[in-house]
């Protein structure tokens, strides 16, 4: 579990290094799907998620190096501006080209209040 803390209203870019397997080697992201989800409760259905991002890049996740398991999640200001402050839950999941599913990481997604709101 890894916790993330952000400020409400900021552009958020999360750089990911995705590993799988017992040796924790870099995941091959060629033909893979990556999903990033933020929820108020981990038991909420995905349809009630506060934020959902996935590959391809137009949907919020850009693979930056397929062989090294590198990707970036982008949450634009328009998505984070309306966050309530406080804790949320997030998870990152990978479905590889062979349709194997791996939960990469889960944790708390903490949103702090911003002071300036001129956006």
């Amino acid at each position: 579990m890894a916790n993330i803390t952000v400020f409400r209203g900021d552009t958020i870019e999360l750089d990911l290094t995705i590993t799988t397997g017992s040796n924790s080697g870099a995941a091959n992201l060629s033909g893979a799907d990556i999903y990033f989800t933020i929820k108020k409760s981990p038991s909420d259905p995905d349809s009630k998620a506060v934020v959902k991002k996935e590959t391809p890049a137009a949907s919020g996740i850009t693979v930056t190096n397929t062989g090294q398991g590198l990707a970036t999640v982008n949450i634009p200001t328009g998505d984070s501006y309306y966050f309530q402050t406080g804790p949320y839950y997030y998870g990152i999941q990978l479905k590889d080209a062979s349709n194997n599913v791996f939960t990469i990481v889960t944790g708390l997604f903490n949103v702090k209040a911003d002071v300036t709101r001129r956006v």
Side-chain angles (χ1 to χ4, degrees), residues 18-27 102-104:
I18 299 173
T19 61
T20 59
S22 59
N23 66 355
S24 296
F102 302 95
T103 297
I104 303 304

Side-chain angles (χ1 to χ4, degrees), residues 42-110:
S43 62
D44 288 344
D46 283 356
S47 61
K48 291 192 174 197
V50 175
V51 169
K52 293 187 285 189
K53 300 296 178 186
E54 59 190 70
T55 50
S59 297
I61 300 178
T62 303
V63 174
T64 56
N65 187 315
T66 57
Q68 294 296 313
L70 303 177
T72 300
V73 177
N74 183 278
I75 303 170
T77 297
D79 286 355
S80 72
Y81 188 82
Y82 298 101
F83 278 147
Q84 296 176 6
T85 58
Y88 294 81
Y89 298 87
Y90 82 96
I92 300 172
Q93 195 170 67
L94 170 74
K95 182 170 76 172
D96 70 14
S98 299
N99 289 322
N100 297 308
V101 176
F102 302 95
T103 297
I104 303 304
V105 66
T106 63
L108 289 176
F109 190 89
N110 297 299

